Amino acid sequence: IINCLKVLSRRHGMTIIASIHQPNNDILHTFDTVYVLAKRGVCLYSGVSHRLRQHLNDNGIECNENQIPIEVLLTIASKDKSNTNIVNNKHENDVNCNPIIQTNLRPVFGSLSISKRFSFVDMYYLLSRSLTHTFRCQWVSLLLQFICFQMLAIVMKYCFTPDIILPDGCVELEFGAECYQTEADILNEKLIKLNIKYNTCLLLSVAFVVLIVMSVTFGSDFRVFRSQQQNGWYSTGTYLWCRTIVDLIPVLMALPLFCWLTNLYNTYTFYVFTFALNLLVIMCTQSVSQLSALLFINEPKVALIFAILVQVVTVFLGNSLIPVKELHYTLQALSHLSYSRLSFECFVIMIYGLGRCQAPQISTVLYGMEIDDDIFWPNMVHLV
């Protein structure tokens, strides 16, 4: 069996990890790398098999030509520290086992203080591994997310009439005794409100799907990270960057078509802006999902509920449902942390601001929401 595994490893370039309890000397030398564990998860040796005898001698354990190194090491490995024969870390033949245990002491479970700096090499390998796993094992999930995003786009497009983009929201400033509103003005005001609702849904629909998926899956995957990071394989930053990129792959695959389907203005500028703003909101939502999953790492349902509550609060402070100026001053200050508000105001300015109304006209939408054209780029910077 071991020879068969050896052939498979060489022929297909596979890494094979095999657990074997009592290998003889011939089988031992078949392995490229040997990792010997003692009781309580203590590593006694990690390396190539032909250096095992020298390793024993370097740690004060004599292994003559008549002894087989692996048998000597397995005799030590099978001992328990509670065993009376090695109370003082002594072998049966009064050989001091303390050096070999101290040299290779690496518990498999528990907390280790291994820290590793961010490395682009580690990121390359981890990203390659994650992408391979995603496309090989999770392609069904990717396909379902893609279909879900496009179904949302189709439903939104056919639930709202294209006429909502026609009113510009501009009125001329007039000072006089007469004050009246025509039927056309009432219709335009209704269309403007529908356009604002449409673009609010455009910003939040994809982000909400991402919120549900990531808040449920991130916690379970993070448990795998903790064990690998403790082994010193890669840094926390390497993992988070790779995980963020991999989680954005379904979004980057589906978002271009989603924005094209929902682009009622049919302009390249509006398409690029919609794509960029949606991507920023999704990345903010991704951070909320990750933090929620970490807070409730063993309770994915609680993590999902908490993430949804945070999303609801950001929408409540987003200036789309309730004007922020009408809220308490503490909530007004808190609303500056709401990515829903930042993105919504940028959307409104993009549609009804940025010089769309020429003097002496003013934008009724921006005036009614107390939004100034000057906050467009600061909001974009805050989102980034």
Side-chain angles (χ1 to χ4, degrees):
I1 293 174
I2 299 299
N3 286 333
C4 178
L5 294 177
K6 185 81 170 182
V7 172
L8 290 175
S9 174
R10 291 293 183 265
R11 182 178 298 171
H12 301 288
M14 299 167 62
T15 298
I16 298 178
I17 302 173
S19 173
I20 189 166
H21 293 270
Q22 288 182 307
N24 59 39
N25 202 42
D26 293 335
I27 292 180
L28 180 74
H29 284 84
T30 307
F31 288 90
D32 299 313
T33 306
V34 180
Y35 189 89
V36 183
L37 280 176
K39 285 191 176 183
R40 307 192 187 281
V42 177
C43 173
L44 296 185
Y45 179 70
S46 177
V48 293
S49 57
H50 63 82
R51 286 193 53 83
L52 186 54
R53 186 185 300 274
Q54 184 62 41
H55 178 71
L56 291 170
N57 293 331
D58 292 342
N59 287 276
I61 300 176
E62 294 185 5
C63 183
N64 56 46
E65 296 295 331
N66 298 323
Q67 291 177 302
I68 300 176
I70 186 61
E71 293 184 357
V72 174
L73 190 59
L74 286 177
T75 303
I76 300 172
S78 63
K79 299 297 181 181
D80 189 19
K81 289 185 178 180
S82 61
N83 193 309
T84 55
N85 291 331
I86 53 168
V87 172
N88 298 317
N89 285 331
K90 293 285 185 177
H91 187 251
E92 290 175 340
N93 299 324
D94 292 330
V95 177
N96 189 359
C97 304
N98 190 59
I100 193 170
I101 293 178
Q102 294 297 326
T103 304
N104 298 277
L105 188 61
R106 284 190 286 177
V108 176
F109 301 104
S111 177
L112 292 180
S113 59
I114 297 177
S115 59
K116 191 174 184 180
R117 293 185 177 274
F118 178 85
S119 169
F120 284 103
V121 175
D122 293 342
M123 184 172 175
Y124 168 76
Y125 285 115
L126 183 58
L127 190 59
S128 300
R129 188 187 77 176
S130 302
L131 290 175
T132 302
H133 176 265
T134 300
F135 285 103
R136 180 180 296 172
C137 305
Q138 299 177 347
W139 64 270
V140 176
S141 175
L142 297 179
L143 181 61
L144 289 176
Q145 289 185 55
F146 182 86
I147 295 174
C148 180
F149 290 153
Q150 309 321 319
M151 290 297 295
L152 281 172
I154 294 173
V155 169
M156 287 175 55
K157 188 170 183 178
Y158 285 98
C159 285
F160 291 86
T161 172
D163 295 339
I164 60 178
I165 67 173
L166 297 179
D168 57 8
C170 300
V171 297
E172 292 188 8
L173 288 175
E174 296 181 356
F175 299 93
E178 296 183 357
C179 182
Y180 60 89
Q181 189 177 32
T182 64
E183 184 179 352
D185 294 334
I186 296 175
L187 179 60
N188 286 343
E189 184 177 345
K190 181 181 178 181
L191 292 176
I192 289 173
K193 290 181 179 179
L194 287 175
N195 194 19
I196 292 175
K197 290 180 181 179
Y198 175 79
N199 287 289
T200 302
C201 294
L202 181 64
L203 278 175
L204 299 178
S205 56
V206 177
F208 188 74
V209 175
V210 171
L211 182 83
I212 294 176
V213 174
M214 293 185 182
S215 59
V216 173
T217 59
F218 184 77
S220 59
D221 292 346
F222 194 79
R223 299 191 197 101
V224 179
F225 152 75
R226 287 195 297 185
S227 62
Q228 294 181 354
Q229 192 266 349
Q230 286 177 348
N231 289 332
W233 289 9
Y234 45 76
S235 67
T236 306
T238 302
Y239 170 77
L240 289 176
W241 271 109
C242 290
R243 181 59 199 261
T244 299
I245 294 172
V246 171
D247 283 344
L248 284 176
I249 288 177
V251 175
L252 294 175
M253 292 171 57
L255 194 59
L257 181 58
F258 176 86
C259 293
W260 180 78
L261 290 174
T262 55
N263 183 12
L264 298 179
Y265 287 86
N266 296 321
T267 61
Y268 180 75
T269 303
F270 190 81
Y271 172 79
V272 173
F273 172 76
T274 304
F275 177 85
L277 200 58
N278 266 287
L279 188 59
L280 288 175
V281 173
I282 288 168
M283 294 183 72
C284 293
T285 306
Q286 185 182 33
S287 298
V288 171
S289 304
Q290 291 175 348
L291 291 172
S292 177
L294 291 179
L295 286 174
F296 307 98
I297 192 167
N298 296 318
E299 298 290 341
K301 294 181 180 178
V302 178
L304 174 61
I305 294 173
F306 181 79
I308 293 176
L309 289 176
V310 174
Q311 185 81 340
V312 169
V313 172
T314 60
V315 174
F316 175 77
L317 300 175
N319 206 16
S320 56
L321 301 176
I322 302 175
V324 174
K325 301 295 183 181
E326 298 179 4
L327 299 176
H328 192 266
Y329 68 91
T330 55
L331 294 178
Q332 292 184 31
L334 189 62
S335 68
H336 291 289
L337 298 176
S338 171
Y339 51 87
S340 296
R341 176 186 176 179
L342 297 174
S343 57
F344 173 76
E345 290 179 348
C346 287
F347 236 124
V348 172
I349 294 173
M350 179 69 183
I351 298 172
Y352 296 106
L354 299 179
R356 184 168 186 175
C357 299
Q358 303 296 326
Q361 293 180 331
I362 64 167
S363 174
T364 56
V365 179
L366 299 184
Y367 180 80
M369 295 183 175
E370 300 185 37
I371 299 176
D372 192 0
D373 273 359
D374 296 338
I375 67 172
F376 179 82
W377 289 112
N379 278 9
M380 292 294 291
V381 172
H382 290 163
L383 276 174
V384 173

